[in-house]
């Protein structure tokens, strides 16, 4: 047996992706993290490249991923309980760190209970599998994350059981609710808290009001689900995320531990009945190993830091850094989507110019990501910058100066 014929077919498929301009750039490999020194923040060394890079494309909004307290917590937990769980949760793969982290996440989310997953991606897949039956109808924002779109496909949600509303358009949301067939028993309304390509929030307060209006029509109600992966830890007065920022409370919260918390893993927070249903019906929870004890211990430490006075300082630093960058970018005359979130999209609106600018920023030792078709529609080509509390004022100054030079070079 040989892979020759399969290889040939796959190579043709990959070539087609390249020919259509949809291919991802080759992955760069980070091989060393240089701690802050003087007025400079973290720098990164890349395999095969000289010099040290300023990273402005990381989701680690609070800069906790290299925090020695998280590393120590993970180290201690691994020494106590090992680096892997050795089994899935229901076959004695549940350790004290899993139970304790779930309790902490439930408290943090102000929900009765929570379940952890290996990622927010698998949390979304599992949630859809758990909640979907033949009489369930899903409604989602047009710009929802890929994991939500994939979750509905995996759960075999067809066109007759799903409606997609125009991004953040509440009139369109109402139109989608109006056309739900009368035999539907359960409506699930799902949306990103912060839209990852744009950094803009969902109008949760309005969404919840609309959901409440339609709720009595269905036996199981209209349930709101927020995937706040980019919001939790980074947004709102105490880092509770978009619900806190927009003053609205979704019924179910999906979050990640892999962005602002600086670790790895995902979660679902909601009622005890939801958690019990996950434990019995959710394949991406039941049939896969849970997070390692080290992941859980580091995440608990991250939440502990966020909930201390230092957490408020980190949020204030993140806000100040974001404002500094947004102000500088505006001065240069670059187009962005206004807002306080540390995702700062720079709308270049041209594929080649976006690629040229990203390349020139890389030459200036700055890591950012260019978003072109099909990640964003033609005409919305964007450079996505992500600010962190670990950036220094000098880092942000340098980034603004570099953008200003690159804009001139790419005119
Ligand atoms: C809205 C949203 N959901 C889920 C994810 C996936 O998170 P994780 O890396 O924990 O799977 C992302 C990450 O990009 C995201 O932006």
């Amino acid at each position: 047996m040989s892979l020759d014929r399969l290889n040939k077919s796959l190579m043709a498929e990959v070539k087609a992706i390249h020919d259509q301009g949809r291919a991802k750039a080759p992955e760069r490999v980070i091989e060393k993290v240089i701690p802050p020194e003087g007025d400079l923040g973290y720098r990164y060394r890349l395999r095969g490249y000289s010099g040290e890079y300023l990273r402005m494309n990381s989701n680690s909004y609070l800069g906790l991923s290299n925090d020695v307290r998280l590393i120590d917590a993970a180290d201690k937990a691994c020494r106590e309980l090992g680096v892997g769980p050795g089994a899935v949760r229901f076959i004695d793969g549940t350790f004290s760190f899993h139970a304790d982290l779930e309790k902490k996440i439930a408290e943090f989310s102000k929900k009765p209970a929570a379940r952890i997953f290996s990622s927010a991606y698998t949390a979304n897949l599992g949630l859809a599998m758990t909640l979907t039956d033949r009489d369930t109808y899903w409604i989602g924002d047009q710009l929802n994350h890929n994991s939500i779109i994939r979750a509905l496909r995996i759960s075999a949600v067809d066109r007759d059981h799903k409606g997609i509303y125009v991004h953040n358009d509440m009139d369109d949301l109402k139109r989608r609710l109006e056309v739900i067939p009368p035999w539907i028993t359960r409506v699930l309304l799902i949306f990103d808290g912060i839209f990852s390509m744009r950094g803009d929030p969902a109008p949760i307060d309005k969404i919840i009001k609309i959901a409440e209006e339609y709720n009595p029509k269905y036996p199981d109600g209209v349930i709101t689900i927020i995937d706040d992966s980019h919001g939790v830890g980074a947004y709102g007065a105490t880092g509770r995320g978009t619900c806190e920022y927009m003053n609205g409370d979704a019924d179910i919260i999906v979050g990640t531990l892999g962005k602002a918390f600086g670790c790895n893993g995902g979660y679902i927070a909601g009622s005890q009945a939801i958690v019990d249903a996950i434990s019995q019906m959710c394949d991406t929870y039941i049939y896969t190993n849970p997070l390692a004890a080290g992941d859980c211990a580091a995440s608990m430490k991250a939440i502990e830091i966020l909930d201390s006075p230092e957490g408020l300082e980190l949020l204030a630093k993140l806000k100040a850094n974001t404002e500094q960058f947004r102000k500088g970018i505006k001065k240069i005359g670059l187009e962005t989507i206004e807002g306080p979130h540390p995702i700062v999209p720079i709308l270049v609106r041209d594929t080649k110019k976006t690629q040229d600018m990203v390349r020139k920023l890389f030459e200036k030792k700055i890591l950012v990501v260019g978003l072109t078709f099909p990640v964003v529609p033609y005409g919305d080509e964007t450079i996505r910058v992500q600010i962190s509390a670990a950036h220094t004022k000098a880092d942000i100054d340098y980034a603004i100066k570099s953008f200003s030079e690159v804009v001139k070079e790419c005119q």
Side-chain angles (χ1 to χ4, degrees):
M1 294 271 273
S2 143
L3 285 175
D4 285 354
R5 281 175 294 154
L6 174 63
N7 288 346
K8 221 166 150 191
S9 299
L10 292 177
M11 281 158 68
E13 286 176 38
V14 170
K15 183 176 179 303
I17 293 173
H18 279 279
D19 291 348
Q20 291 158 15
R22 297 193 293 119
K24 304 260 178 292
E27 291 171 12
R28 298 185 286 240
V29 179
I30 292 174
E31 59 182 7
K32 191 160 177 58
V33 182
I34 320 283
E37 211 184 310
D39 62 351
L40 301 184
Y42 287 101
R43 291 294 185 272
Y44 295 81
R45 264 195 214 134
L46 302 180
R47 184 171 295 165
Y49 295 91
S50 63
E52 291 163 7
Y53 289 79
L54 168 59
R55 194 168 175 205
M56 303 202 77
N57 57 4
S58 164
N59 299 311
S60 183
Y61 297 117
L62 298 178
L64 290 174
S65 48
N66 296 98
D67 191 295
V68 72
R69 291 166 294 179
L70 272 65
I71 296 167
D72 284 347
D75 183 54
K76 186 166 176 285
C78 289
R79 284 176 199 286
E80 278 172 26
L81 290 169
V83 289
V88 299
R89 292 283 296 260
F90 78 97
I91 306 180
D92 288 327
T94 298
F95 288 63
S96 55
F97 284 98
H98 300 126
D100 295 347
L101 176 59
E102 286 173 339
K103 189 165 175 285
K104 207 163 182 70
I105 288 171
E107 282 163 11
F108 176 83
S109 310
K110 300 192 170 79
K111 297 289 180 200
R115 272 284 182 245
I116 49 172
F117 289 75
S118 48
S119 66
Y121 202 108
T122 50
N124 276 327
L125 301 185
L127 186 67
M129 287 178 195
T130 307
L131 298 184
T132 305
D133 68 12
R134 283 210 252 140
D135 300 328
T136 302
Y137 198 93
W138 285 85
I139 296 191
D141 188 289
Q142 158 193 31
L143 295 188
N144 275 347
H145 188 256
N146 172 282
S147 55
I148 298 174
I149 295 161
R150 182 58 64 193
L152 301 198
R153 288 190 188 146
I154 273 183
S155 305
V157 178
D158 62 20
R159 289 152 137 232
D160 297 333
H161 293 79
K162 149 174 96 176
I164 308 294
Y165 60 93
V166 173
H167 176 54
N168 277 352
D169 183 332
M170 296 299 99
D171 291 332
D172 199 35
L173 168 58
K174 278 191 172 185
R175 277 193 289 276
R176 303 291 156 193
L177 282 156
E178 284 296 333
V179 298
I180 296 177
W183 42 265
I184 289 295
T185 56
R186 176 184 301 173
V187 177
L188 303 170
L189 177 43
I190 188 162
F191 47 92
D192 285 17
I194 300 290
F195 291 86
S196 52
M197 302 301 149
R198 302 164 49 90
D200 58 338
I204 303 178
D205 47 343
K206 295 194 182 104
I207 292 175
I208 286 166
K209 252 198 186 139
I210 293 171
E212 278 168 0
E213 199 183 313
Y214 287 83
N215 188 52
K217 276 180 78 174
Y218 305 97
D220 287 353
V222 177
I223 308 302
T224 51
I225 306 168
I226 186 170
D227 174 349
D228 206 17
S229 290
H230 283 278
V232 287
Y235 214 47
T238 66
R240 259 60 188 169
T242 316
C243 291
E244 182 175 45
Y245 180 77
M246 298 296 279
N247 208 12
D249 186 21
D251 298 308
I252 300 172
I253 300 173
V254 177
T256 183
L257 301 164
K259 299 192 194 293
F261 296 118
C263 303
N264 215 11
Y267 62 85
I268 296 171
S271 62
Q272 187 60 49
I274 298 249
V275 160
D276 291 344
I278 287 169
S279 308
Q280 299 302 329
M281 298 194 273
C282 179
D283 291 358
T284 61
Y285 174 80
I286 299 170
Y287 299 108
T288 180
N289 270 10
L291 294 173
D295 291 322
C296 299
S299 295
M300 280 195 281
K301 185 52 87 178
I303 298 173
E304 195 184 307
I305 292 172
L306 179 61
D307 275 348
S308 71
E310 184 187 343
L312 296 179
E313 280 168 29
L314 286 172
L315 287 167
K317 180 78 177 15
L318 179 60
K319 188 165 176 268
N321 283 353
T322 304
E323 280 170 5
Q324 185 195 345
F325 184 72
R326 282 185 177 274
K327 218 165 127 193
I329 286 303
K330 225 173 162 180
K331 223 167 163 186
I332 301 168
L334 287 167
E335 181 187 350
T336 186
I337 297 168
E338 300 280 344
H341 194 271
I343 292 176
V344 186
I346 309 225
L347 287 137
V348 181
R349 301 195 181 282
D350 181 274
T351 300
K352 182 167 181 313
K353 199 169 166 187
T354 301
Q355 289 164 346
D356 287 348
M357 284 178 70
V358 169
R359 198 184 62 250
K360 283 182 181 294
L361 286 162
F362 184 71
E363 286 164 10
K364 292 176 189 298
K365 308 288 181 209
I366 296 181
L367 304 178
V368 288
V369 65
L371 307 171
T372 55
F373 181 82
V375 178
V376 292
Y378 286 118
D380 280 356
E381 293 82 359
T382 298
I383 297 175
R384 185 176 72 170
V385 177
Q386 287 166 289
I387 305 296
S388 161
H391 287 140
T392 64
K393 185 174 176 308
D395 292 341
I396 306 275
D397 281 340
Y398 177 68
I400 295 167
K401 178 172 160 284
S402 301
F403 261 98
S404 128
E405 289 166 1
V406 160
V407 166
K408 284 183 201 130
E409 289 165 25
C410 291
Q411 260 167 2

